[in-house]
Amino acid sequence: MSLIELSHRIVEGMITYPGIPAPVMGVHLSREASRDLYAEGTEFFIGTITMAANTGTYLDSPNHRFADGADLSGLPLEKLADLDGVVVKGVDLPGDLDVAGKAVLFHTGWDANWGTDAYFTGHPHLTAETSAALVAGGAALVGIDSFNIDATPPKGERPAHTTLLGAGIPIVEHLTNLGALPASGFRFHAAPPLVAGMGTFPVRAYAVV
């Protein structure tokens, strides 16, 4: 058994999406200050982080797109963890691929541009037709290692988000390292915290091979 990391590391100042603020790290209780609160030789550190929910590798719940959709706290674990996974090379879904109940991960290789300006423009994305096929096939979750699962023109439509989240299928964006996975035969995990009222949140996505 191997564990394969599929998430980007979150660091202060990183830009996930232009216009969305970068995370800011802080200190609530320093080790030095904690020494006055505990017995000699005992110290603790409590940090703080201020960040947008769409930071790093994150999961979209239906509430991200639809006001009445399930938020993070409304998603059952069965949609987020221990899912049978398949990897699709590129953004075209093979017509004979069985996606029922599976995490379908699109490996575009775009994560090679992470941390550069090139990551934000011209990225691969799913079409409305592919998204509809995923819904019709009964996919449990859909992920991509690209900047967005949709094209991102100003004021553009977002058919992949609309179709998948409208069908209750969570989306994981900004995955990485999908090339380390086999085409099938692995279990996928991407569970966010159980936060009520939140539509998106970073995840520690990984696969068990």
Side-chain angles (χ1 to χ4, degrees):
M1 183 183 74
S2 298
L3 297 175
I4 308 297
E5 178 68 67
L6 303 175
S7 292
H8 289 289
R9 186 166 172 253
I10 294 177
V11 298
E12 185 168 51
M14 66 183 282
I15 299 297
T16 302
Y17 197 105
I20 293 180
V24 177
M25 311 294 188
V27 178
H28 172 69
L29 180 67
S30 69
R31 298 189 185 280
E32 294 75 17
S34 76
R35 293 169 190 162
D36 294 331
L37 303 177
Y38 303 100
E40 185 175 353
T42 302
E43 62 183 41
F44 294 94
F45 173 80
I46 301 176
T48 63
I49 181 170
T50 301
M51 68 178 183
N54 292 39
T55 295
T57 302
Y58 57 81
L59 180 137
D60 295 342
S61 72
N63 182 256
H64 177 51
R65 174 66 178 81
F66 301 100
D68 60 351
D71 61 15
L72 299 178
S73 69
L75 289 174
L77 280 173
E78 290 78 12
K79 285 184 173 286
L80 309 169
D82 199 29
L83 294 167
D84 188 15
V86 294
V87 173
V88 176
K89 290 290 186 72
V91 292
D92 296 319
L93 187 69
D96 60 349
L97 183 65
D98 178 16
V99 300
K102 294 179 171 62
V104 185
L105 310 180
F106 286 86
H107 176 211
T108 71
W110 199 252
D111 57 323
N113 296 313
W114 178 261
T116 72
D117 289 342
Y119 187 73
F120 306 126
T121 57
H123 61 279
H125 57 86
L126 301 191
T127 63
E129 292 75 20
T130 295
S131 303
L134 289 163
V135 171
L141 176 148
V142 177
I144 194 168
D145 60 356
S146 183
F147 172 61
N148 201 291
I149 203 165
D150 273 306
T152 57
K155 296 188 177 181
E157 296 181 348
R158 298 292 189 269
H161 280 89
T162 300
T163 301
L164 295 171
L165 296 179
I169 300 173
I171 297 168
V172 181
E173 293 174 310
H174 309 282
L175 286 163
T176 189
N177 200 33
L178 293 183
L181 296 178
S184 61
F186 63 91
R187 310 297 291 183
F188 180 75
H189 302 255
L194 205 61
V195 185
M198 190 72 74
T200 63
F201 209 81
V203 292
R204 183 76 180 266
Y206 65 94
V208 182
V209 180

